[in-house]
Each structure stands twice: as structure tokens, then as C-alpha cells.
Amino acid sequence: MAVKKSELIVQRLKSIGDGIIDDVDAGRNPSFDIRTRALSNVHFDEQTGIIRLGDEAQKRYYFNVGQAKKFLQTLLIAKQIKVLLEQEQPALSIRQLFYTLKHDIPGANENTFDEQEESDPLIEDVELMTDALREELNLIATPNGVLSGPMVVEDKTGDVLDFTKMGSAGGAVPPIVEDDYFHIKEMNADYILVVEKYAVWNLLNQSKYWKKNNCLLMTGKGQPARAERRLLARFGEEYDIPIYVFTDMDPWGYYIYSVYKYGSINLAFFSEKAACPRARYLGLSVKDVMNFDMPRSSWIKLNDEDFKRIEEISSYPWFQNDYWQKELADLKKFGYKIEQDALVSKSIEFTANNYLPAKIENKDFMD
Amino acid sequence: MAVKKSELIVQRLKSIGDGIIDDVDAGRNPSFDIRTRALSNVHFDEQTGIIRLGDEAQKRYYFNVGQAKKFLQTLLIAKQIKVLLEQEQPALSIRQLFYTLKHDIPGANENTFDEQEESDPLIEDVELMTDALREELNLIATPNGVLSGPMVVEDKTGDVLDFTKMGSAGGAVPPIVEDDYFHIKEMNADYILVVEKYAVWNLLNQSKYWKKNNCLLMTGKGQPARAERRLLARFGEEYDIPIYVFTDMDPWGYYIYSVYKYGSINLAFFSEKAACPRARYLGLSVKDVMNFDMPRSSWIKLNDEDFKRIEEISSYPWFQNDYWQKELADLKKFGYKIEQDALVSKSIEFTANNYLPAKIENKDFMD
């Protein structure tokens, strides 16, 4: 890499500033373009299988009573990010960035920012203006995931992390998983298995499932945070190995899978870079109930909220395919949900020794 | 260690069963004793500075219409734990244990368990009956914490974990931190610093605060889970080094500190083994506002919920000391809260280079 990504972003931020100076010099109303983040500009791109933000854009003007403060605030954020990147400062949370920017405006009876709700959407605007992820702007969200398996990473700190030697805890997912922070030196896994729940991950990790099956075993502890999504996207782009997602058999589990695979509406721009279209749904699925003879005692009646959520996700464009329409209809008809934890009711080893191997060997998954 | 803790627990479980057989043989109504977990039996032990469960106990009888099912369920749980320990099975979550036990009772139109709400309190009963932590019964809760610093651990897996080489993510806290799972081989830290929020931990970790100050740096990501509490208790018992807790300046932050130090009411039995009476409150405290000239823009008005919570914790016996009564009164009078994140409004390095060193050097903490 000739130019570091952070230098590229600094250049982009500088050119935004230059554009505004040009506006001033030319006597124009200073402005910059921002891609619209409204739902109307979000679509599911069937070709790539990713939720995307469209190209619709708006101008934000300085001489505009409704936009002047936002204009100023956006530039304050852009400037601060530029300074922090140039000074190679540590990464901040978006709340910390807010605190570095919140202050009185001398002479005015006004603060730069009053609430974090003001700065958060403008940070997203700066992401769009620079075509960079928040993490590339050196801003973090709290990660939750852990993983183990045959992968060696050179961390930004210089530490070399061998994910076969991370003990009972597994290796923690760091807040930034971009290549300059989390450089994957070796990937020797035959496949990647993402597990919804920590307790199931922990069971598999204890039995060294990842070693016996030479795979990478990861969990995002329920709904994944940004870092786990982005990491899975990197795996999908950089390594030509199967990626399986294993969740509860309920609309919440299905949705978690969809977030990994397609992205999410509210973070459509992030989804372009954090979706993993090659991810496959391994289970639990309704036909597993019969195929694996799941005991009646492990079934839990679907409640009103579950039925409502089934209707909701049935209507999402990325669930408009034969597999999911059938799966969702089958679930509704069956009337029960089953958690992945419940596989222990067969036996404690059942998940590792029977269920997962059978599903993978028989290619019994949603492709 | 002559006898493994798990063998000791198996013996205790066996002797409970033997007692019941003795009852049957002697024609007595089979029963066992369970310490009462009601609030009436929870007290703050001022001598040790720990929230404790008292000695009040009740008998649970087999021939008692109101107790027969619970009697059976308790023994089912005790038996399952015994079997799992004897077979050296992997640790389960309490939900997974529930699933291994939930089934039809042949011949009866009844399940052993219907909801996890039935098994959870009985697991706590078995903890009390065996005087063992849930984790020693091979049951886990999801951990959340990460830590870094000069400590080397030999994990149950055989992996040797050097917490100075855990990269940007730090080392994850495993679900079980008992010595046979998480054997601390080397502890070279001069002190331990527990930070409430991940973003603040992350800032300190990036600047290698733990290296410059030769300390162990840990976060439980807000309210700590069982594993982080138990780990801090172990540090407090096993190493004669200072332990500091650093939280937000608000009743929620103060309470997090108190959970680490004194324990909590709803897990009073756990608190006996997971409290860390040597923990000291480092800050943020109300006098820091003036001493460190915290900018007005970082103050957040206390809301009704905050005031209510201040009243609540003011009345807890473990906050009945001069330091905390003054701190809580000062906070109320000041009328604002300040988050630990807000220290970046001074400068990004302020927390690591100014605030923490000054507090520790000047012994400016609650002892």
C-alpha cells in the first residue's frame, strides 16, 4: 500500500474544506454534498445481495437558517477527525468524540453541541463524505465477540495473536478490525462457524470443536456489534472458505443471520462494507425438528411478539426467496420456536458430534 | 491440593442423597436443609465489609403438598450436577442445564420443569447446599470483561495467556475464573485498575497505560458479570496490591463500585465469594470537578431518576460511612453528573497522563 488509508481520508477531508474555501472565494453560498440516509434512499441490491445506500444526495448550506448550525457542527466533526488522524491519536468512542467537541461558543450564548444525538448523525455524514467506515475515522463501538480457531493475527500493537491458544475465553474481537489494526497473517480454517449465543459457543469451544473440525468458531453474543459484522465481511471477502451462521429457530435468530449476511437498514452505508453475502444459514430450521428428532420438551410456543416479528421479516426484500418464505411459513405453521441451547436436551455432545457435522456434510443449509 | 474441589462437591452432593436415604430407612419424612435466600436473611457484615447471607435455614420436605415438586426438582438438579461433574462434562449455562432436565414424567401428565424460572432458584439452593459457587458446579454465566497488563495465566486448556500480549482487544475474561480453570502463574502488577466503561478502558489500553504504570487494567463493560466480580475478588485475596475502581460520577457508577467491593443483595451468597473489600473508589468524585477544573460543558444535569437512585443508595448499609454520605450529599447539592468519558474534553491524554496519576499519587481515593 503506497498511501495509508488514514492519509487518504485526511486528503478527502482537506478537499471538502478546500471546496468550501472555493465557495467563499467565488462568493457562492458555502455548501457540501451529503448522501441521503433516509429510508427512501436504502435498497436491497439483489445482484450483490447487500443492503445499500443509494446515490441520492442533498446539499448542506451555510447561509440557510435551518442548516447553518448543522453545517458548522459537521465541519467541527470533520476537522476534529482530521486532526486526530494527523496526530495519530488513539481511537475514541463517538461519545468521547462528542465530549472533545462540546463547548461554549465564545461570545454566543450557545454550545457547539448540547446532546450526543446531535453529533452522532453528523458523524455518519462525515463517513459518507469520506467514503470511510467510522472505524477508519478512528471511532469505535464496543465489540462483544470472541473467536477461536486456526488463525494468526498481527495486531496494530505488534502483538501476534494465535487464536488456537486463547484458552477458555477465546480471543476477544477488538473494536477495530481493519487490516492496519488486525492484520490476518495466517488463516488455516476449512470453514467459519458463527454461533448466535455465547453459551453454545462456549460449549463448542470447551470440546475444541474448532480443532477437531479445523474451523474458526465465533460468536457475537446475540445481535452482533459492528466489529463482528465487519470481521465476518472481511473473512468472506478475503478467504474462499464456507461461512455458516447457526442461530435459534425463531424470527430473532433468523434476523441475526440476515444482519451478518445482508446488513441492516439503519446502518445501510456500513452494510455495504460489513455484509457477508457468502454466509449460509445452517440452522436451526423447522425441518431439523423432525430430522433430528428434537424432543417435545424443547419446543416453546411462539407468542404474539414472535408472530408479529415473523410477519415483519417475511416482508423484508432480502427474505423474498423460496427458502426463507417457506421457512417462515413452516415456522408459523409449526407454532413453536426452538433455541440452539436446546440441542443439549439430546445430549451435551449432540451439537458438536451429531447436529453440526450432519448439517455440514449433508449440505443441509440455506445457500 | 489433595482433593479436587469438584470431587469435594460430588462428595457433598452424595451425602445429601445419603441423608435422604437415611430418612427413608428410618421412616422419617425425607428432607434437606436450605439456607433462606430471602432479604430477611441478607445482611451487611461490617467487620468483613461484605454483603452476606445469614444462617437462617428452612427444611424442604418430600411429603408436603406445597414442597413435593420443588423437592423432586432440587434433587434432579443436584443429581444432574453430580453426574456432569463425575463425567467431567463441559460447563453449561443455567439455561442449558434446564434443557438437559426438562422432560415429561412418564405416566404423569406433567413435566419435570416447564420454565427456567423454576430451575434457576433451585440451582441457587444447590449452591448453598454444597457451599459452592455456581461456577464450581460447572455452570456459567456469560462474561463480558477484558483485561491487559503484567499477568500470566495458565488456562484449563493448557494455554498460557500473557496479558501483556493480547493486542488491541485485551484478553477476554473467561466464564469460569476459579483456580483450576484460570491459574494465575505470574502477577507482576503494582496495582489493579478497574474501569467502568469499555471506551475508557480502550483509550487507556491504546496508550499502554498498563505498561507505563505497571498495572492490570480491567473493564466489566458497565455493570460487571459474575466472572469479573469473582476475578477481582481473587485478585484482592491473593495479591497484596492496591485495587482501584474508576467509574462515572453518578449513582449508577457509585453502585457499580459497590458491587465490586461489597457484593449485591440479590446474589448475597455469591457476594461472600465475589466481593473485594480492599477495592478503593478512585473517582470520579464531586471534588474532582474543582480539583481538575472539569469544563462546564461536561456537566450533565441530574434527572429525577438520578435523584431517586441517590436516595436509594444513600440508605444502603454499605454506603453508611462518612465518605459516601458526604459524596452523595455533595452530588445532590452540585446537581450535575459527569461521565468518565468526559475527561477527554480536557484532552485525550488527560485521563492517562494527569487524572489517574494525580489521584493515585495523592492517595485521593475512598479507602
Side-chain angles (χ1 to χ4, degrees):
Chain A
M1 297 190 300
V3 182
K4 274 172 66 182
K5 183 76 195 256
S6 63
E7 288 170 15
L8 213 72
I9 292 167
V10 167
Q11 282 170 20
R12 285 181 203 154
L13 287 165
K14 210 172 159 301
S15 77
I16 293 165
D18 289 341
I20 290 165
I21 291 171
D22 288 348
D23 284 341
V24 172
D25 288 345
R28 286 191 298 266
N29 187 353
S31 72
F32 45 81
D33 292 320
I34 289 173
R35 269 161 80 194
T36 309
R37 280 186 290 99
L39 206 59
S40 61
N41 196 31
V42 173
H43 68 281
F44 175 58
D45 181 342
E46 298 207 13
Q47 200 135 29
T48 56
I50 291 179
I51 297 168
R52 281 184 186 281
L53 196 66
D55 290 330
E56 214 178 280
Q58 292 166 298
K59 277 198 181 302
R60 185 166 296 160
Y61 288 102
Y62 179 53
F63 290 114
N64 178 316
V65 179
Q67 297 183 355
K69 186 166 186 184
K70 268 195 181 177
F71 183 96
L72 168 77
Q73 288 174 325
T74 312
L75 291 189
L76 279 172
I77 289 171
K79 181 195 158 200
Q80 182 73 325
I81 288 170
K82 177 170 169 284
V83 168
L84 296 177
L85 284 172
E86 284 173 335
Q87 295 179 351
E88 300 192 5
Q89 292 281 2
L92 301 179
S93 70
I94 55 177
R95 182 141 192 89
Q96 288 169 329
L97 186 77
F98 160 73
Y99 274 121
T100 68
L101 289 170
K102 185 186 183 208
H103 57 76
D104 302 339
I105 302 175
N109 192 12
E110 186 109 38
N111 279 334
T112 50
F113 295 89
D114 286 310
E115 302 289 340
Q116 194 188 339
E117 285 67 43
E118 295 171 65
S119 58
D120 283 358
L122 302 182
I123 290 171
E124 288 186 54
D125 288 342
V126 175
E127 292 180 47
L128 293 173
M129 288 159 73
T130 54
D131 191 29
L133 285 182
R134 182 174 309 176
E135 288 75 7
E136 294 172 320
L137 304 179
N138 237 5
L139 296 171
I140 65 139
T142 300
N144 283 318
V146 287
L147 74 171
S148 46
M151 173 176 76
V152 178
V153 166
E154 187 172 344
D155 189 90
K156 197 190 184 183
T157 55
D159 295 340
V160 174
L161 308 167
D162 181 343
F163 285 83
T164 64
K165 293 184 178 148
M166 288 297 183
S168 307
V173 174
I176 302 186
V177 295
E178 302 307 309
D179 184 65
D180 52 339
Y181 273 81
F182 196 77
H183 177 64
I184 302 170
K185 286 181 68 174
E186 288 177 39
M187 169 64 87
N188 299 312
D190 292 333
Y191 64 87
I192 291 165
L193 177 63
V194 181
V195 177
E196 176 181 345
K197 286 182 172 161
Y198 182 81
V200 177
W201 178 90
N202 185 50
L203 193 59
L204 295 171
N205 189 49
Q206 287 176 89
S207 67
K208 297 240 176 191
Y209 178 88
W210 53 266
K211 193 171 190 178
K212 289 173 197 154
N213 295 277
N214 198 45
C215 69
L216 206 61
L217 187 66
M218 174 166 126
T219 180
K221 293 182 181 166
Q223 181 66 43
R226 291 176 62 101
E228 292 88 46
R229 290 169 60 181
R230 174 66 184 148
L231 185 57
L232 198 69
R234 278 196 60 196
F235 290 153
E237 282 160 22
E238 297 173 26
Y239 303 98
D240 191 23
I241 51 176
I243 295 175
Y244 306 112
V245 179
F246 170 34
T247 75
D248 287 346
M249 187 185 97
D250 63 28
W252 320 94
Y254 299 164
Y255 185 72
I256 284 174
Y257 153 77
S258 81
V259 167
Y260 277 117
K261 185 181 178 89
Y262 306 109
S264 58
I265 306 169
N266 55 348
L267 288 175
F269 173 65
F270 179 60
S271 297
E272 293 178 21
K273 306 184 185 216
C276 181
R278 292 208 299 99
R280 289 153 163 166
Y281 188 71
L282 196 68
L284 291 170
S285 51
V286 179
K287 64 179 151 54
D288 292 342
V289 181
M290 193 165 281
N291 291 349
F292 292 93
D293 190 24
M294 288 299 294
R296 178 66 186 76
S297 60
S298 67
W299 306 1
I300 301 173
K301 253 197 194 321
L302 291 169
N303 60 33
D304 290 349
E305 221 185 338
D306 295 325
F307 279 114
K308 200 180 137 216
R309 189 69 184 139
I310 291 172
E311 292 310 316
E312 276 170 9
I313 70 172
S314 295
S315 72
Y316 291 161
W318 47 100
F319 279 98
Q320 302 302 329
N321 54 58
D322 293 347
Y323 178 93
W324 280 110
Q325 290 299 312
K326 182 175 181 329
E327 177 70 16
L328 289 162
D330 286 352
L331 182 68
K332 219 159 67 175
K333 201 170 139 197
F334 179 50
Y336 294 88
K337 55 188 172 183
I338 301 184
E339 293 178 299
Q340 52 179 186
D341 311 86
L343 285 164
V344 295
S345 62
K346 300 283 292 181
S347 82
I348 290 174
E349 310 80 19
F350 190 80
T351 314
N353 295 353
N354 304 79
Y355 179 76
L356 292 172
K359 293 287 286 188
I360 291 171
E361 274 165 41
N362 301 332
K363 298 189 185 303
D364 181 13
F365 42 71
M366 154 68 182
D367 207 0
Chain B
M1 297 190 300
V3 182
K4 274 172 67 182
K5 184 76 196 257
S6 63
E7 288 170 15
L8 213 72
I9 292 168
V10 167
Q11 283 171 19
R12 286 182 202 155
L13 287 165
K14 210 171 159 301
S15 78
I16 293 165
D18 289 341
I20 290 165
I21 291 171
D22 287 348
D23 284 340
V24 173
D25 288 346
R28 286 190 298 265
N29 187 353
S31 72
F32 46 82
D33 292 319
I34 289 172
R35 268 161 79 193
T36 309
R37 281 185 290 99
L39 206 59
S40 62
N41 196 31
V42 173
H43 67 282
F44 176 58
D45 181 342
E46 298 207 12
Q47 199 134 30
T48 56
I50 291 179
I51 297 168
R52 282 184 185 282
L53 196 66
D55 290 331
E56 214 178 280
Q58 291 166 298
K59 277 197 180 303
R60 185 166 295 160
Y61 287 103
Y62 179 53
F63 290 113
N64 177 315
V65 179
Q67 297 183 355
K69 187 166 186 184
K70 269 196 180 177
F71 183 96
L72 168 77
Q73 289 175 324
T74 312
L75 291 189
L76 278 172
I77 289 170
K79 181 194 159 200
Q80 182 73 326
I81 288 170
K82 177 169 169 283
V83 168
L84 296 177
L85 283 173
E86 284 173 334
Q87 295 179 351
E88 300 192 5
Q89 292 281 2
L92 301 179
S93 70
I94 55 177
R95 182 139 193 91
Q96 288 169 329
L97 186 77
F98 160 73
Y99 274 121
T100 68
L101 288 170
K102 185 185 183 207
H103 57 76
D104 302 339
I105 302 174
N109 192 12
E110 186 109 38
N111 278 334
T112 49
F113 295 88
D114 286 310
E115 302 289 341
Q116 194 188 338
E117 285 67 45
E118 294 171 65
S119 57
D120 283 358
L122 302 181
I123 290 171
E124 288 186 54
D125 287 342
V126 176
E127 292 180 47
L128 293 173
M129 288 159 73
T130 54
D131 191 29
L133 285 182
R134 182 175 308 175
E135 288 75 8
E136 294 172 320
L137 305 178
N138 237 6
L139 296 171
I140 65 138
T142 300
N144 283 317
V146 287
L147 74 171
S148 46
M151 174 176 76
V152 178
V153 166
E154 187 171 345
D155 188 89
K156 197 190 184 184
T157 55
D159 294 340
V160 174
L161 308 167
D162 181 343
F163 284 83
T164 64
K165 294 185 178 147
M166 288 297 184
S168 307
V173 174
I176 302 186
V177 296
E178 301 308 308
D179 184 66
D180 52 339
Y181 273 81
F182 197 76
H183 177 64
I184 302 170
K185 286 180 67 174
E186 287 177 39
M187 169 64 87
N188 299 312
D190 292 334
Y191 64 88
I192 291 165
L193 177 63
V194 181
V195 177
E196 176 181 345
K197 286 182 173 161
Y198 181 80
V200 177
W201 179 90
N202 185 50
L203 193 59
L204 295 171
N205 189 50
Q206 287 177 89
S207 67
K208 297 239 176 191
Y209 178 88
W210 53 265
K211 193 171 190 177
K212 289 173 197 154
N213 295 277
N214 198 44
C215 69
L216 206 61
L217 186 66
M218 175 166 126
T219 180
K221 292 182 182 166
Q223 181 65 44
R226 291 176 62 100
E228 292 89 45
R229 290 169 59 180
R230 174 66 184 148
L231 185 56
L232 198 69
R234 277 195 61 196
F235 290 153
E237 281 160 22
E238 298 173 27
Y239 303 98
D240 192 23
I241 52 176
I243 295 175
Y244 305 112
V245 180
F246 170 35
T247 74
D248 287 347
M249 187 185 98
D250 63 28
W252 320 94
Y254 298 164
Y255 185 72
I256 284 174
Y257 153 77
S258 80
V259 166
Y260 277 117
K261 184 181 178 90
Y262 306 109
S264 58
I265 306 168
N266 56 348
L267 288 175
F269 173 65
F270 179 60
S271 297
E272 292 178 21
K273 306 185 184 216
C276 180
R278 293 208 299 98
R280 289 153 164 168
Y281 188 71
L282 196 67
L284 291 170
S285 51
V286 179
K287 64 178 151 53
D288 292 341
V289 181
M290 194 165 282
N291 291 349
F292 293 93
D293 190 23
M294 289 298 294
R296 178 66 187 76
S297 61
S298 68
W299 307 0
I300 301 173
K301 254 196 192 323
L302 290 169
N303 60 33
D304 290 349
E305 221 185 338
D306 295 325
F307 279 113
K308 200 179 137 215
R309 189 69 183 139
I310 291 172
E311 292 309 315
E312 276 171 9
I313 70 173
S314 294
S315 73
Y316 292 160
W318 47 99
F319 279 97
Q320 302 302 329
N321 54 58
D322 293 346
Y323 179 93
W324 280 110
Q325 290 299 311
K326 181 175 181 330
E327 177 71 15
L328 289 162
D330 286 351
L331 182 68
K332 220 160 65 177
K333 201 170 139 198
F334 180 50
Y336 295 89
K337 55 188 172 183
I338 301 184
E339 293 178 298
Q340 51 178 187
D341 311 85
L343 285 164
V344 295
S345 62
K346 300 282 292 180
S347 82
I348 289 175
E349 310 79 20
F350 190 81
T351 314
N353 295 352
N354 304 79
Y355 179 76
L356 292 171
K359 293 288 286 187
I360 291 171
E361 274 165 41
N362 301 333
K363 299 191 184 303
D364 181 13
F365 42 70
M366 154 68 182
D367 207 1

